[in-house]
Amino acid sequence: MKKILLAAILMLSLGSFAQEKSKKGPEMSPEKKVELQVARLKIELDLNEKQTAELRNLIQEHQQKRAKQRAEMGSKKDSLHKPSPDQREQMKKNKAEDKKMFEEQLKKILSPAQIETWQKNKEARKNKRKTLKEKRELREN
């Protein structure tokens, strides 16, 4: 009887550990994220000091807007009044407009060759994420 009870407790405890989601690493501060992104782009695009400073300001501004939008979404998600389909659609449009504005401002900072490099790298990162997502889905199924 003790063995059965012990086995049941062991199975339940292992099951609870299997449910935990693990994070990939420690949470970074917004400033640290901005600095890492600027450093990566500085290396990839061979930016000068003026471009680096302008890019840092642009990324900080964009990140603050996105954090505000995420906080707004989080508050709506936690409340009893979830956003309607129309509100969700409007949020998607706002996000797309913000992304478009960010890219337009970025194009004012970068040279044409840097823009081309940036777009190629952006597409490569997108394809890599897509591949990783497909592999993850295959593992889960």
Side-chain angles (χ1 to χ4, degrees):
M1 185 68 171
K2 287 182 182 180
K3 290 180 182 178
I4 294 173
L5 184 60
L6 183 61
I9 291 172
L10 182 62
M11 294 300 262
L12 289 174
S13 64
L14 289 176
S16 66
F17 285 117
Q19 298 299 322
E20 291 181 23
K21 288 186 177 181
S22 63
K23 291 188 177 182
K24 293 184 179 181
E27 189 67 28
M28 280 192 276
S29 68
E31 296 83 20
K32 182 74 173 172
K33 289 179 183 179
V34 169
E35 290 305 316
L36 287 174
Q37 189 173 6
V38 169
R40 179 181 54 85
L41 289 173
K42 184 176 181 176
I43 292 168
E44 284 180 2
L45 304 175
D46 193 31
L47 302 175
N48 61 35
E49 292 303 315
K50 181 183 177 201
Q51 288 176 318
T52 303
E54 290 176 358
L55 185 64
R56 182 177 289 111
N57 292 336
L58 177 64
I59 291 173
Q60 284 175 337
E61 180 183 306
H62 181 71
Q63 192 177 56
Q64 288 171 351
K65 283 182 184 179
R66 294 289 301 135
K68 182 180 173 186
Q69 290 173 345
R70 280 192 298 273
E72 185 179 305
M73 281 289 288
S75 66
K76 288 180 181 181
K77 191 175 185 180
D78 293 339
S79 71
L80 296 175
H81 307 289
K82 293 189 177 183
S84 68
D86 292 336
Q87 289 172 328
R88 287 178 191 252
E89 192 63 35
Q90 184 62 39
M91 287 180 209
K92 285 182 183 179
K93 286 180 184 176
N94 290 344
K95 184 177 176 181
E97 288 173 9
D98 287 344
K99 185 177 179 181
K100 184 177 179 181
M101 283 180 32
F102 175 80
E103 289 180 2
E104 287 173 1
Q105 291 173 341
L106 186 65
K107 288 178 182 179
K108 291 178 184 176
I109 296 171
L110 302 177
S111 70
Q114 290 172 326
I115 292 170
E116 185 177 330
T117 304
W118 177 74
Q119 288 175 335
K120 285 179 184 177
N121 292 343
K122 179 181 164 188
E123 191 65 32
R125 284 190 302 274
K126 183 179 176 182
N127 290 336
K128 183 177 178 180
R129 281 192 309 268
K130 185 178 179 181
T131 304
L132 290 173
K133 182 180 178 183
E134 290 170 356
K135 286 181 180 178
R136 193 177 326 117
E137 288 174 353
L138 286 174
R139 265 193 323 230
E140 291 174 357
N141 293 332

